[in-house]
Amino acid sequence: MSELASGFDLHAAVAEPVILQPGERKLIPTGFAMSMERGLEAQVRPRSGLALKHGITCLNSPGTIDADYRGEVKVLLINLGQEPFTITRNERIAQMVIQIVPEVALMEVEALTDTERGAGGFGHTGTN
Ligand SMILES: O=c1ccn([C@H]2C[C@H](O)[C@@H](COP(=O)(O)OP(=O)(O)OP(=O)(O)O)O2)c(=O)[nH]1
């Protein structure tokens, strides 16, 4: 694996098919581990095809793979569809991207800087 890519498929490393009942969640192994430099993280994201066709998504989306994690990457899938869904060996269950995450220091201050938004949020500008 030496070619540059912006996204990587994650495959189900399951010995036997795994069934996800409607509403059920399961942690699915990928058989894949990696090491990353400090300042990077990997994000595990759902596949839109599985979501649209079967209601299968990542419960903790995006899943965070920390730079210092050396264990097996796992995918927390949930079945939000109406039917049981079977995950088979080597099936592409999610995708992964690598992100740069800046390291910052939090400082305690007496007051915050002014902005037009201020504390407004959660739709305070309306829908139009
Ligand atoms: O979708 C995921 C999310 C996490 N992990 C692994 C890698 C990550 O570095 C570690 C911890 O994840 P996270 O920081 O999200 O979990 P936490 O609940 O905060 O646990 P911890 O206390 O272990 O950090 O679990 C995965 O394999 N897949």
Side-chain angles (χ1 to χ4, degrees), residues 60 63-66 69 72-74:
N60 58 329
T64 301
I65 311 298
D66 299 288
Y69 181 69
E72 180 179 13
V73 171
K74 295 184 177 168

Side-chain angles (χ1 to χ4, degrees), residues 3-60:
E3 281 176 26
L4 286 177
S6 55
F8 304 89
D9 287 329
L10 293 174
H11 300 255
V14 290
E16 301 294 332
V18 170
I19 297 173
L20 272 183
Q21 297 296 339
E24 194 180 19
R25 63 180 185 267
K26 277 186 181 159
L27 197 54
I28 310 297
T30 63
F32 167 76
M34 63 183 171
S35 57
M36 269 181 296
E37 299 295 323
R38 191 171 155 174
L40 297 177
E41 76 168 25
Q43 295 180 354
V44 177
R45 300 178 179 180
R47 296 190 67 212
S48 57
L50 283 180
L52 177 65
K53 290 181 203 149
H54 305 286
I56 298 295
T57 190
C58 298
L59 180 55
N60 58 329

Side-chain angles (χ1 to χ4, degrees), residues 2 55 97 123 127:
S2 58
V97 297
T127 54

